[in-house]
Each structure stands twice: as structure tokens, then as C-alpha cells.
Amino acid sequence: YENEQYKAVDINFFADDLFIGKTIKQLVSGILNGTTIMLARLSDGSLVVGSLDRDQGIVAWGSLIIGGSSVTVVGMAVVSGANSDLSDCFFLLVRRLINGVYKVYLEKMAAIYENSTYTSGSGNFFYYMDSLRIVSSPGSATISAPHLAGETVHVFGDGNYLGTKVITAGGSLVLDAVYSEVLFGLGYSNRLVPSPIRVNTQIGNSNGMAHKLNSLYIKFWNTITATYGDPERNEFYDIEFRNNTVVASTSIPLFSGEKRVQFPPGYSREKQVEIKGSLPFPCNVLSITAEGVAYD
């Protein structure tokens, strides 16, 4: 049947800036949450990830930044069907500079966060913190963490985000109170930069024309925090997800829907949009629609 024949997807369209001046030292691939993932370990120890999802029409490359100081990935492996949902397990050997000494860690990549509610227990935020440790019923406000001595970590106590703390040189996490469950780990940033915005006009494609964006319509799914802006002018603004009906002492519910925001004023030939964040909370962008003008 013509409409049911196998159709290969070309994934050789690389993001050149991720590969120029580097060589690929190792490739591994597997499936996470229905998406085929390919990890490429490069000669400088950095990681590039390729995502292929036929159902969603996704063929994308991106840089995967590992949390910590002077970080390089020195090895990778995939164990087929080893997760509870029979998806594949990705393991990394990560080398970090900790307290002036290089140490190597065996780390497992978590599944994509697809829960319908916001909970921080049982390691749900493994996906948003690196080298995460969970301590249940510690019985003390001081927790031993020699593997992250001197590092700045994000901390949750009994489901509440406590901000960042610095692990002492002796390897201790010192909290202001005692909690039943403590989650802490290295933070890292998420960053989404789509291709420059171009549209068809009466005189042809808008490539090379001066662009001005008035509004953005960003569709989110299960999101708590995000900022947006113009990377060329380095102007970014927070998107408000907490509504007036949410009590201040309670967690922000996950938001799914569309947000209309104003874009920073100004014209440029290559109008770019960037959405980013640095907190260990879910951020999932489904689509970005721009409203503006293009001048010859």
C-alpha cells in the first residue's frame, strides 16, 4: 500500500555549530518514552543528542550539557529494555572536578518527565538535576555529600523547593531545618532556540528583510517555569504561571495551554526567539507562533 510503505528519515542534517572542529568518538542509541535517542560523544568530552520521533514528526539535534565543573563524558552504554516500562537505559561515565580533584561518576539518564501532576518525591526531578541524591528520613539538618564537595546544588525538602545551597569543603549539606525527605543535585539550564523566523510575502521569502515581532503565542505542556526573549539583544522576561487562586504556600500546578507574551521591541534581519530556564522544574514547549511584520 502506497501510504503504508516504510519511509526512511534522513538524520544527516546536523546542527553544524555542534560538530565543527570536533570528531565523534562514540555513538549509542536507544528508545526513551517512545522517542529514539542517539547520543554522540565528541572529542572534547561534550555530548550531542539526536531525537527521532516519527509519530510527532521530530528530527532534531541538540547539545546536552552535564551539570558540574570541568565536566567531560568519558564513556557511554545502553542496556536494552532495562527500565520498568521496558524502555532502554542510558548510562554515562562523567568526569568532574570536585574540590580540586577529578572524579568519575557512573550516572543513569532518567526518562522524560511526563507525569500529569507536580510532585518532587521519589526522584521525579532526577530529570532536572544532575548527580541527584535522595535521602529519606535523614534525622538531621546536616547530610553527608562528599561526592559534591564545594559544589552548588538545588535542594528540595519534603516537596518544597529550598533554593540553592553550597556543599561544604568537608562534603556536608547543611539545611536550616530537618526534613523527612531531601533531594539535592547539580542544576543545569534548558535552552530552546528555533530557526530564525521567516515567512512568505508578496515579493517572496522574508529572508534578509527587517523583522519586528509584536507578540508570541507559546503553547506549553505540563510546565511550571520558563523565560523568553531576544538572544541577539540579551533581553529576557519571566512567564507567569502562578494564577491568583493558588495559595502562596502551595506548589504551582502544572500548566498546559497557551501563553500570549509581548516580544522585546526592535527590528533585525534575523529575528530569533529563545526560551530558557535554570530551575529544576518541568518546561515543555509544544509550539511557538509569532505575530509581527517584515519590511523589504
Side-chain angles (χ1 to χ4, degrees):
Y1 298 100
E2 184 176 346
N3 292 333
E4 296 180 5
Q5 65 182 357
Y6 177 80
K7 181 180 180 181
V9 177
D10 185 2
I11 62 172
N12 288 316
F13 184 71
F14 284 0
D16 291 341
D17 59 310
L18 300 178
F19 293 89
I20 290 177
K22 307 170 187 177
T23 57
I24 296 176
K25 305 295 289 185
Q26 185 183 5
L27 287 172
V28 297
S29 64
I31 298 177
L32 275 179
N33 298 67
T35 299
T36 300
I37 302 294
M38 176 186 290
L39 292 181
R41 179 169 63 89
L42 305 183
S43 53
D44 62 351
S46 62
L47 280 185
V48 172
V49 57
S51 302
L52 173 62
D53 191 320
R54 298 179 187 278
D55 293 337
Q56 301 297 329
I58 297 173
V59 182
W61 291 92
S63 179
L64 184 61
I65 306 299
I66 307 296
S69 304
S70 301
V71 182
T72 55
V73 178
V74 296
M76 304 185 297
V78 176
V79 179
S80 179
N83 284 323
S84 58
D85 61 353
L86 299 183
S87 62
D88 301 329
C89 281
F90 289 79
F91 291 93
L92 306 176
L93 283 176
V94 181
R95 191 178 75 157
R96 291 189 180 88
L97 184 64
I98 301 294
N99 230 11
V101 179
Y102 280 104
K103 297 183 178 181
V104 178
Y105 301 82
L106 176 63
E107 301 186 4
K108 174 187 172 184
M109 183 179 293
I112 300 170
Y113 187 86
E114 292 188 338
N115 291 1
S116 58
T117 57
Y118 158 49
T119 56
S120 62
S122 304
N124 285 328
F125 285 94
F126 192 104
Y127 184 65
Y128 298 96
M129 291 189 289
D130 201 347
S131 193
L132 175 72
R133 184 179 178 191
I134 305 171
V135 182
S136 298
S137 302
S140 172
T142 301
I143 299 172
S144 177
H147 68 299
L148 293 175
E151 296 294 306
T152 298
V153 296
H154 293 262
V155 185
F156 284 86
D158 293 341
N160 295 314
Y161 181 58
L162 306 180
T164 58
K165 299 282 186 180
V166 178
I167 307 294
T168 66
S172 295
L173 171 63
V174 182
L175 303 177
D176 299 326
V178 178
Y179 298 91
S180 299
E181 183 181 69
V182 178
L183 291 79
F184 62 95
L186 298 169
Y188 58 93
S189 301
N190 55 73
R191 182 169 179 255
L192 172 63
V193 184
S195 300
I197 295 174
R198 297 185 179 94
V199 296
N200 292 323
T201 70
Q202 292 181 343
I203 60 173
N205 190 278
S206 65
N207 185 28
M209 295 183 181
H211 292 74
K212 177 184 178 182
L213 298 183
N214 299 320
S215 301
L216 293 177
Y217 298 85
I218 308 173
K219 185 170 290 186
F220 292 97
W221 177 77
N222 282 2
T223 296
I224 286 181
T225 181
T227 62
Y228 76 98
D230 185 346
E232 181 180 5
R233 303 174 62 177
N234 198 29
E235 293 185 25
F236 291 90
Y237 304 91
D238 291 331
I239 299 176
E240 182 61 51
F241 289 97
R242 180 187 289 274
N243 58 50
N244 297 331
T245 62
V246 178
V247 180
S249 60
T250 61
S251 302
I252 303 174
L254 292 171
F255 174 82
S256 294
E258 192 172 69
K259 289 283 187 177
R260 180 181 183 271
V261 295
Q262 299 297 314
F263 197 77
Y267 291 88
S268 66
R269 297 290 179 182
E270 290 285 337
K271 184 58 68 177
Q272 197 89 51
V273 175
E274 181 175 332
I275 298 175
K276 63 180 183 178
S278 59
L279 294 175
F281 295 102
C283 177
N284 302 286
V285 179
L286 300 182
S287 67
I288 303 173
T289 303
E291 182 181 82
V293 293
Y295 291 100
D296 186 9

